[in-house]
Amino acid sequence: MTSDRPDRKAPEEAYVWIWLPGATAPVVAGRIARDGEQLIFNYGRSYLDRNDRIPIYEPELPLRSGAIAPAIGLSVAGCLRDASPDAWGRRVILHRTFGRKGWDVDTTALDELTYPLESASDRTGALDFQHSPSEYVPRAVRTATLEELQSAASSVEEGVPLTPDLEHALFHGTSLGGARPKAMVQDGDTKMIAKFSSSTDSYNMVKAEYVAMRLAAEAGLNVAPVRLAHIAGKDVLLVERIDRAKTKDGWTRRAMVSALTLLGLDEMMARYASYEDLAEIIRHRFTSPRATLRELYGRLVFNILCGNTDDHARNHAGFWDGERLTLSPAYDICPQGRSGNVAGQAMLIVRDNRTSTLATCLEAAPNFQLGEQAAKDIIARQIGTIRDGWDPICKEARLTEFERNLFGQHLFLNDFIYDGAAEGLQ
């Protein structure tokens, strides 16, 4: 891995702009500035004087004057880090700025204040980062076709230089989270995330995610709507944005915080994230806590049934309205390949157990205010939905016979999930 840093002066500060609930234009909320290894936030006086102000997120950034340091163990407030690009966006930024190639990119070549300033403005949630406290200048992009974006994403993975137009178009995906190639597109009044295949895929992960998301919706879970496109000989998954809404006055943005932020953790501590702790937060801080707990339990069960072990805490989120949290629709439900039968979830399920089995789900049920029979009913209903919906949804996705066999034998309803399960759950 390349470890040298480019000869580039890192910024010392940035201004945080926010779309307030229902607003179609942002206002400046405050300033984030470097203080040694930490990034310190201050609300602006003009923002604190507004009647419609809301905290960017509480308890992390409460509405008060003065410097607000990140919690112990963090270098930046989690709600601000949520709006910064993750692996894929950072690779694109490094590629377009420094010509770095392939998976050997050292993402520490730029610091945590540079990435949000170098990424596109249409980022997840309701925040953006600017050099100015008084003039908002969106970092816009040129419209490109899905074929062009697919080609550009492949070029970044291969380290091939992009034309200026394609470099600018792919820039639109730099503000998104996740590690897989992606870009943002718009179809009329709908904004979507386009997710492309990767050169490192060992199977068709685009189709696998489509099948999982469609089956999750059929199982009654609240999931982001998806479409499947076939562009230039490759599959592309289109996922509707859950944080955008078109109004007669323009686009509104919904503030979002990840479960990682809700749990007070960062990437280095993500292995300690647990469904048990997230359920506790839901009981106390979310709207409709009982229904939300049932929904989250359903997502946990479905992740295990479909083989999605990448259910890390950035793949769960809540909408924030300034006072309360509401669970966002599910996204990034993507079955993962496994080298053997044994598997574990990215988040702990109950105590220190993350084993991907239905027995573990049943053990965790009380944390979701569910009795044993209610939990068994959820599991049985989802298994039935997967079996009943398998053929029609595989047909929708145009799976080959090889893909159907691979997905059906190794990803969905893998034998290991039944290990130790109660009788009648198969």
Side-chain angles (χ1 to χ4, degrees):
M1 176 178 286
T2 305
S3 60
D4 57 304
R5 290 175 176 267
D7 185 15
R8 176 188 176 99
K9 183 175 175 57
E12 293 297 319
E13 65 180 15
Y15 292 90
V16 181
W17 290 65
I18 186 171
W19 277 255
L20 292 168
T24 56
V27 296
V28 66
R31 171 179 175 267
I32 185 170
R34 192 185 314 283
D35 183 10
E37 296 299 314
Q38 289 189 315
L39 296 176
I40 309 297
F41 180 78
N42 282 264
Y43 280 108
R45 173 51 55 193
S46 64
Y47 185 76
L48 292 175
D49 288 342
R50 296 180 64 96
N51 292 329
D52 58 352
R53 69 195 185 280
I54 65 169
I56 292 177
Y57 172 62
E58 277 187 326
E60 207 171 31
L61 296 180
L63 284 172
R64 63 174 174 82
S65 59
I68 306 176
I72 295 174
L74 302 182
S75 61
V76 61
C79 59
L80 300 179
R81 174 62 182 86
D82 283 340
S84 188
D86 281 338
W88 170 251
R90 293 177 183 224
R91 288 187 60 208
V92 175
I93 290 169
L94 287 167
H95 183 277
R96 69 190 292 267
T97 306
F98 305 114
R100 300 302 179 91
K101 298 181 178 181
W103 288 104
D104 290 332
V105 166
D106 180 2
T107 56
T108 64
L110 294 176
D111 73 307
E112 287 299 331
L113 196 52
T114 299
Y115 280 114
L117 286 169
E118 292 287 339
S119 54
S121 290
D122 197 7
R123 63 188 69 248
T124 301
L127 300 181
D128 193 20
F129 301 85
Q130 296 278 307
H131 290 285
S132 170
S134 57
E135 182 183 12
Y136 180 76
V137 181
R139 293 178 290 281
V141 297
R142 181 186 77 82
T143 301
T145 66
L146 282 173
E147 184 173 357
E148 289 175 317
L149 291 168
Q150 171 76 75
S151 175
S154 298
S155 294
V156 168
E157 289 199 305
E158 297 165 6
V160 177
L162 300 177
T163 65
D165 278 353
L166 284 185
E167 184 177 87
H168 197 203
L170 195 61
F171 172 62
H172 206 167
T174 58
S175 55
L176 297 170
R180 295 184 56 75
K182 59 180 65 67
M184 285 187 276
V185 297
Q186 185 173 333
D187 180 12
D189 291 342
T190 303
K191 289 194 174 187
M192 297 175 291
I193 299 170
K195 304 177 78 170
F196 306 111
S197 59
S198 170
S199 60
T200 62
D201 291 345
S202 57
Y203 58 94
N204 194 322
M205 293 187 71
V206 168
K207 283 186 176 180
E209 184 169 353
Y210 175 82
V211 171
M213 293 285 283
R214 286 285 292 111
L215 284 170
E218 290 293 309
L221 298 176
N222 180 19
V223 302
V226 294
R227 310 179 204 173
L228 193 62
H230 194 68
I231 308 295
K234 294 185 178 181
D235 297 300
V236 180
L237 181 69
L238 300 172
V239 186
E240 290 190 22
R241 294 283 300 267
I242 58 177
D243 56 345
R244 297 290 185 268
K246 183 71 177 294
T247 70
K248 62 182 179 59
D249 298 318
W251 290 93
T252 61
R253 305 189 180 195
R254 296 191 71 177
M256 290 177 64
V257 287
S258 70
L260 200 64
T261 292
L262 298 176
L263 296 166
L265 305 173
D266 65 8
E267 281 79 6
M268 298 300 293
M269 299 183 282
R271 65 186 180 278
Y272 301 114
S274 74
Y275 281 98
E276 191 170 7
D277 290 341
L278 182 55
E280 179 70 17
I281 292 171
I282 287 172
R283 283 196 289 273
H284 295 287
R285 302 196 59 209
F286 274 65
T287 57
S288 305
R290 182 173 290 275
T292 302
L293 286 170
R294 188 180 184 90
E295 170 74 17
L296 182 63
Y297 186 76
R299 295 182 191 185
L300 165 61
V301 169
F302 191 83
N303 282 334
I304 287 175
L305 294 179
C306 78
N308 175 31
T309 54
D310 193 35
D311 57 339
H312 57 78
R314 282 210 185 280
N315 280 345
H316 300 276
F319 293 125
W320 168 251
D321 66 4
E323 294 182 358
R324 300 280 287 175
L325 292 153
T326 302
L327 191 66
S328 76
Y331 53 92
D332 284 352
I333 304 177
C334 186
Q336 305 294 308
R338 58 177 81 191
S339 56
N341 274 333
V342 178
Q345 299 304 116
M347 283 176 51
L348 295 164
I349 299 173
V350 56
R351 296 184 298 279
D352 61 350
N353 187 356
R354 63 177 82 243
T355 309
S356 304
T357 63
L358 298 176
T360 311
C361 286
L362 287 176
E363 186 182 355
N367 294 326
F368 298 83
Q369 298 183 347
L370 291 169
E372 181 179 0
Q373 190 56 51
K376 286 182 177 179
D377 289 344
I378 290 171
I379 293 170
R381 186 162 52 251
Q382 289 195 10
I383 292 174
T385 297
I386 291 173
R387 288 175 173 160
D388 292 343
W390 183 253
D391 286 339
I393 290 178
C394 285
K395 187 176 181 180
E396 274 182 28
R398 299 182 180 181
L399 295 190
T400 65
E401 183 177 357
F402 172 79
E403 288 168 340
R404 284 173 64 104
N405 291 335
L406 175 67
F407 294 178
Q409 295 173 15
H410 298 285
L411 303 179
F412 293 81
L413 304 183
N414 182 277
D415 287 345
F416 176 68
I417 66 174
Y418 301 108
D419 191 39
E423 188 175 341
L425 283 183
Q426 299 186 38

